[in-house]
Amino acid sequence: MAMTKTAVYPGTFDPITLGHLDLVERAARVFDRVMVAVASNKNKNPFFSLQERVALAMATLKKMSNVEVVEFDGLLVDFMHANGATIIVRGVRMVSDFDYEFQLAGMNRQLSPEIESLFLMPAQNYSCISSSFVREIALMGGDIASFVPDVVVSAFQNKLRK
């Protein structure tokens, strides 16, 4: 019996961007199952609620049969154990990202040595996109259509009208 490899791509996804989508597509080609784990992350002050972020990710990723979107709270390694996952997928856009991600991978390895971190680079045209830049541009009335899926553009427009 072949073992199913499950990878978890964790993040706040506030909002999910085309860079995130690119990484999920790459991971879905490599792993049998990819869980996009949307963190509640009480340390941040997200623009979109946890439920909105999960819904946007689901709408964006619904056509990918081996990808599921779930919310989580707490330690990532505990979430991974509960879901039979052994691989953490993280995006690295530039060297500055790698420094932080390297430290995070080391901490996760200390907490749970059997879990591996895999760093993926997005396509070059997505390397400058970050959720925080997208939020800032949207809040200042700028056009974010080239950075996020259409459903996210609509969600920003609807939320900013209120």
Side-chain angles (χ1 to χ4, degrees):
M1 182 160 110
M3 191 166 97
T4 300
K5 280 287 185 192
T6 299
V8 173
Y9 181 25
T12 308
F13 303 103
D14 185 35
I16 193 164
T17 68
L18 295 177
H20 293 131
L21 178 59
D22 181 60
L23 291 178
V24 173
E25 289 171 345
R26 291 168 188 272
R29 289 194 302 260
V30 176
F31 299 103
D32 301 316
R33 177 179 174 219
V34 177
M35 299 179 77
V36 174
V38 182
S40 64
N41 205 336
K42 294 172 181 72
N43 297 330
K44 292 185 178 180
N45 186 19
F47 181 78
F48 290 107
S49 71
L50 178 59
Q51 294 74 25
E52 289 170 324
R53 290 180 280 131
V54 167
L56 289 171
M58 285 179 162
T60 301
L61 302 167
K62 65 184 173 193
K63 292 181 181 163
M64 302 177 76
S65 62
N66 64 332
V67 174
E68 63 184 286
V69 178
V70 293
E71 63 182 69
F72 87 99
D73 190 19
L75 279 178
L76 177 59
V77 294
D78 292 342
F79 173 83
M80 294 187 66
H81 290 145
N83 288 282
T86 57
I87 308 289
I88 300 170
V89 172
R90 296 295 293 174
V92 178
R93 295 168 298 178
M94 52 200 68
V95 175
S96 58
D97 286 347
F98 183 77
D99 185 48
Y100 172 77
E101 295 297 341
F102 186 80
Q103 292 175 52
L104 197 57
M107 291 301 296
N108 285 325
R109 182 171 289 147
Q110 287 292 318
L111 292 170
S112 191
E114 73 283 0
I115 293 176
E116 294 292 339
S117 294
L118 177 71
F119 302 118
L120 294 176
M121 292 173 43
Q124 189 171 357
N125 54 319
Y126 300 131
S127 64
C128 68
I129 300 174
S130 76
S131 293
S132 55
F133 287 158
V134 168
R135 283 192 311 275
E136 190 172 337
I137 292 166
L139 291 170
M140 292 184 182
D143 182 7
I144 57 170
S146 60
F147 308 124
V148 296
D150 292 341
V151 67
V152 175
V153 173
S154 297
F156 265 107
Q157 290 170 343
N158 291 338
K159 195 159 180 134
L160 290 171
R161 273 190 215 117
K162 292 180 182 177

